[in-house]
Amino acid sequence: MKKTVQIPLGSQHISLLEPIRFKFECENEKIIGVDADVGFVHRGVELACTRKFEFKQVGYVVARVCGLCAITHSLSYTLAVEKLLGYEANDRIKYLRMLMVELDRIHSHMLCLAHTAENAGFEALFMQIMAQREPVMDIQEAISGNRVQFDYISIGGVNRDLTPDLSALIHKNLAALSEKVDALMMLFDTNWSLSLKYKGIGVLSLENAYTYNALGPLARAAGLASDVRSESSDLPYEAVGYTMVLESSGDIHARNFVRLREIVNSIAMCRNIVDNLPVGEIQEKVKGKPKGEAVVRVEAPRGELFYLVRGSGQNILERVRIKTPTFSGIPAMMEVFKGSQYADAPAILASFDPCMSCTAK
Amino acid sequence: MFKSMLEAFLNLFKPLHTGGYPAKEIVLPDGYRGLIEYDGEACIYCDKCEKVCPPGAILFYQQENGEKKYRYNPWLCIYCGECVRACPKPQEALWQSETKQQPALKEEGVNEQWFVWEAACQNSREAYTTAKKAAKTGTNEK
Ligand code: SF4
Ligand code: SF4
């Protein structure tokens, strides 16, 4: 007699509304095998970038790949094209770009923490974190003029400058947030019912993180020091006070803590950037058409985002390849599910912070 | 745990985080990226805004007498501001306001009408160039 039961999680299933399917092979409550399938939705973004839109417009197209890390997508694309055009932005532009990316990381991490709390059955905490996340979105809206689609980065610079009023607003909101994050850290560390759901659950060992190529907070929670911010020199992260955040236990608790500590680090970086903004133009003229091939990696909130751009000196590009962090992290995610309880699966999944909008592009 | 229970109780008396929409208006920040506005008087009809616009929300209709007619689709626009940056006369001919676009209703037939207009613009250009060419060859022959 067959001893195992197959339970799907996702695509069109009630507990996961996004276009991805995990099929669990369960023995009683324990998951012993996992099968993942993405590709229920295809939006054809990459093809659109090489057919319909000119290279100056593609930055606005790729920003629509994802609502949460729109700025990371447009930044990676813009960096790649600027490499092809042989242009390097001045420090002010780089700092402003970094500021937006870090603000984005803060609110994206908070969203993930909220979802992990929700999936562990702590709805009130979900509401609370979402409310605390709002001031960060307000800052981004004030800087860029829109809440979600910032359209802030364009080839050769950024579209808006930071005014003294804005700097004051950033300082005010970040100061309030930083107190709240401290309280959250306390809560995540000491709350008894949360610890039942988080500690020792969904463990990814360092060895597996290495073998299955985990990335982003998932890898750093397992102790694997992988962060594009420390590996690439496209943006001067060292100068604004970046530190690598590492945990060792590799469970949901560790992933939450990587995120919380990264928020603290990002807040410090944002303050540094606002206080020490170099002088310079915010928009420079870039001439020419992209010719050749460039690869850019940027650390998105969920891990490494990879862009390949190839042009042949025409207005329309030849190839735009986007590899998103969630997609690259799926093998490691599958590994984490094995051996855990089926009831924990939603919380484990939420702790990966999967972004299906990125994956189904 | 007792602390969090106390907190939960105190939360009952704290002010609301949510805004009371739609009874209360949403407050937009200064510099909100809103609709694009246009003034035909100042425009020099260079078509730069039309060329840079990523979704193609600005189109010019070519009239037979050589004049052009501007048309803008506020629902297609992504409010990126590229057109204003490309315009040789920003703030005079083309500028970005802080008004927010309202959602479209089905009755307004936003898409259908715009497709008609897109096709009309395309045709008007082609007709104009052929007419011009014909006129040129006509004068050459004379
Ligand atoms: S703001 Fe952007 S999308 Fe809107 S009309 Fe101008 S260029 Fe087009
Ligand atoms: S770019 Fe400015 S001047 Fe040129 S056609 Fe558009 S509105 Fe007119």
Side-chain angles (χ1 to χ4, degrees), chain B:
Chain B
M1 203 164 97
F2 292 109
K3 223 179 118 205
S4 54
M5 280 169 86
L6 180 70
E7 185 131 314
F9 182 70
L10 288 179
N11 269 343
L12 289 176
F13 305 104
K14 283 193 189 150
L16 285 180
H17 268 298
T18 43
Y21 183 80
K24 260 205 293 194
E25 282 281 305
I26 293 176
V27 191
L28 298 175
D30 287 342
Y32 179 81
R33 297 203 322 262
L35 295 176
I36 300 296
E37 284 169 11
Y38 169 80
D39 181 6
E41 298 274 288
C43 178
I44 55 169
Y45 299 100
C46 62
D47 288 2
K48 276 193 178 146
C49 49
E50 181 184 356
K51 277 202 202 88
V52 294
C53 179
I58 293 179
L59 287 179
F60 284 98
Y61 183 84
Q62 181 76 55
Q63 284 168 338
E64 274 157 33
N65 58 7
E67 280 172 19
K68 287 179 187 170
K69 234 163 73 193
Y70 165 91
R71 181 113 158 232
Y72 166 64
N73 185 343
W75 289 283
L76 191 61
C77 176
I78 56 172
Y79 319 113
C80 59
E82 276 292 312
C83 48
V84 179
R85 285 191 284 278
C87 182
K89 296 176 85 178
Q91 310 311 331
E92 286 173 55
L94 204 66
W95 65 95
Q96 187 151 27
S97 71
E98 293 187 8
T99 4
K100 189 173 173 178
Q101 175 61 17
Q102 297 304 316
L105 297 175
K106 196 180 171 195
E107 292 82 69
E108 289 174 74
V110 179
N111 283 345
E112 295 83 348
Q113 280 177 26
W114 185 253
F115 292 150
V116 172
W117 179 258
E118 255 177 351
C121 287
Q122 182 84 27
N123 293 339
S124 74
R125 295 242 166 123
E126 278 161 17
Y128 187 70
T129 26
T130 27
K132 236 180 160 182
K133 256 189 207 151
K136 230 182 188 175
T137 41
T139 41
N140 283 353
E141 274 164 20
K142 261 177 210 169

Side-chain angles (χ1 to χ4, degrees), chain A residues 198 200-204 250-252 255 336-337 340 344 348 351-352:
Chain A
Y198 291 161
I201 291 179
V203 179
L204 180 71
D251 53 3
I252 302 184
R255 290 199 272 282
V336 177
F337 280 122
S340 48
D344 294 330
I348 296 177
S351 78
F352 297 146

Side-chain angles (χ1 to χ4, degrees), chain A residues 158-329:
Chain A
V158 293
N159 293 341
R160 285 165 175 234
D161 205 355
L162 212 60
T163 58
D165 280 355
L166 280 175
S167 311
L169 176 78
I170 296 175
H171 274 304
K172 186 174 133 246
N173 284 3
L174 286 185
L177 180 73
S178 126
E179 277 167 32
K180 304 229 166 91
V181 172
D182 288 341
L184 277 182
M185 278 177 126
M186 205 34 203
L187 188 71
F188 273 94
D189 204 24
T190 56
N191 187 293
W192 179 69
S193 45
L194 280 182
S195 75
L196 285 182
K197 281 283 188 185
Y198 291 161
K199 287 192 182 157
I201 291 179
V203 179
L204 180 71
S205 65
L206 176 55
E207 205 177 301
N208 275 343
Y210 193 75
T211 320
Y212 293 98
N213 219 344
L215 67 181
L218 180 60
R220 292 196 285 278
L224 183 67
S226 103
D227 191 329
V228 183
R229 284 178 288 174
S230 67
E231 291 159 14
S232 107
S233 56
D234 289 333
L235 292 169
Y237 267 111
E238 303 297 328
V240 295
Y242 162 75
T243 47
M244 167 101 64
V245 174
L246 282 182
E247 292 277 336
S248 55
S249 56
D251 53 3
I252 302 184
H253 180 72
R255 290 199 272 282
N256 286 339
F257 257 77
V258 166
R259 296 213 169 86
L260 282 165
R261 285 172 54 203
E262 281 192 2
I263 293 177
V264 174
N265 187 218
S266 293
I267 292 177
M269 281 198 266
C270 289
R271 285 180 170 156
N272 266 342
I273 292 173
V274 174
D275 287 340
N276 306 315
L277 202 60
V279 282
E281 288 286 313
I282 59 156
Q283 183 94 48
E284 290 166 344
K285 274 257 170 305
V286 187
K287 287 232 166 71
K289 303 219 166 115
K291 190 162 179 138
E293 197 172 81
V295 166
V296 162
R297 299 188 304 149
V298 169
E299 182 79 10
R302 291 165 185 74
E304 172 199 301
L305 174 67
F306 170 97
Y307 262 75
L308 177 142
V309 174
R310 189 165 68 223
S312 56
Q314 309 272 308
N315 255 336
I316 307 271
L317 292 166
E318 260 184 3
R319 180 82 171 106
V320 177
R321 169 77 182 127
I322 312 168
K323 188 151 142 283
T324 55
T326 306
F327 184 72
S328 320

Side-chain angles (χ1 to χ4, degrees), chain A residues 22-92:
Chain A
F22 287 100
K23 208 154 74 195
F24 298 125
E25 191 89 28
C26 294
E27 204 176 61
N28 281 339
E29 282 287 295
K30 203 170 151 208
I31 300 169
I32 53 168
V34 193
D35 181 24
D37 192 0
V38 289
F40 290 88
V41 173
H42 183 68
R43 288 186 283 157
V45 173
E46 286 178 4
L47 199 67
C49 293
T50 54
R51 295 288 151 85
K52 194 163 183 315
F53 297 97
E54 293 177 8
F55 78 96
K56 280 192 182 144
Q57 303 172 335
V58 170
Y60 297 101
V61 181
V62 292
R64 267 101 192 132
V65 167
C66 178
L68 266 174
C69 38
I71 198 85
T72 334
H73 279 275
S74 50
L75 173 66
S76 322
Y77 172 77
T78 310
L79 283 176
V81 169
E82 284 177 356
K83 269 188 187 173
L84 291 182
L85 297 174
Y87 162 83
E88 192 174 341
N90 66 28
D91 277 347
R92 191 181 180 87

